[in-house]
Amino acid sequence: MDDPILFNPKTHSHLIPSFADILTACITTPPYTTAGFLPPIDPARIRKWWEDRVREESEGHRKIIMQMARDPSTGEEELAGYVMLGMPVTETGPFRGSVEKLMVSPKYRQKGIAGRLMAKLEEVARAEGRTLLLLDTESGSPAELVYPKWGYIEVGKVPDYGISPLDGSLKPGTFFYKNLLSASKAA
């Protein structure tokens, strides 16, 4: 499997339906994730949401990192997962970035893709001068257990933070950060 790569709107926009499909699968396939949308999924709405993210990437407000893989049954190259680095425009925090939508297709889980994507995200963040990364995830989710393994420090939990796509109940969210400057000194 090749290394994760940066999304390029000029050459990768044809993948927008694949980004939408992975997001849909992560919301509707166990373990269900609270990823901004609730079932029943409207494919047009998710595709539009992705078009907006691509526009933000084109404007320099985010980077989209993607992992391509070969489908073992067809040999065709396809999108296996992605993560985004949000880069808010602020004079008081130009060094901050947000880790957003780390998603791996259910077909490609348990193959180390999430870790590869996060390593690439951190490399891109450093190159962009974003040395303090923030993220949130659903409390009790598999992601909550894996971020500390990658050096992210839990800040705390917020009760009733997101609506579960499984049953509509309110779920707590767990917040993390990682200071890439401190992490590089410790390594």
Side-chain angles (χ1 to χ4, degrees), residues 6-182:
L6 283 171
F7 177 88
N8 179 332
K10 292 180 178 140
T11 57
H12 297 126
S13 288
H14 69 282
L15 293 172
I16 289 173
S18 297
F19 281 95
D21 289 346
I22 289 175
L23 181 55
T24 299
C26 290
I27 294 168
T28 60
T29 305
Y32 306 99
T33 184
T34 55
F37 296 90
L38 293 171
I41 299 298
D42 177 357
R45 195 174 72 223
I46 290 184
R47 198 166 300 120
K48 169 72 169 84
W49 185 87
W50 266 107
E51 290 167 358
D52 291 344
R53 301 301 73 78
V54 168
R55 186 180 64 256
E56 291 170 355
E57 197 282 339
S58 297
E59 295 167 350
H61 301 299
R62 77 176 51 256
K63 296 289 184 184
I64 302 169
I65 297 107
M66 56 188 197
Q67 177 69 64
M68 303 300 289
R70 294 232 174 260
D71 181 313
S73 61
T74 67
E76 297 289 320
E77 187 174 62
E78 64 183 355
L79 185 65
Y82 56 80
V83 66
M84 294 185 289
L85 171 65
M87 299 184 297
V89 179
T90 171
E91 291 181 1
T92 59
F95 53 88
R96 287 193 303 260
S98 58
V99 177
E100 301 171 0
K101 298 284 189 273
L102 175 60
M103 302 282 163
V104 176
S105 167
K107 178 178 177 178
Y108 289 102
R109 289 183 181 158
Q110 302 298 313
K111 298 183 184 314
I113 290 173
R116 294 162 57 90
L117 287 165
M118 289 299 291
K120 181 68 174 183
L121 178 133
E122 291 178 12
E123 174 188 314
V124 170
R126 282 185 182 95
E128 292 291 328
R130 306 295 173 143
T131 55
L132 180 64
L133 299 179
L134 308 164
L135 66 89
D136 66 84
T137 191
E138 182 181 329
S139 299
S141 70
E144 182 184 19
L145 301 175
V146 78
Y147 285 116
K149 294 176 184 176
W150 296 329
Y152 286 78
I153 298 166
E154 182 178 328
V155 175
K157 297 181 188 323
V158 174
D160 300 338
Y161 183 70
I163 299 172
S164 169
L166 178 61
D167 60 12
S169 64
L170 292 176
K171 298 291 185 182
T174 303
F175 289 74
F176 293 90
Y177 78 94
K178 183 173 185 178
N179 184 326
L180 297 178
L181 294 176
S182 298

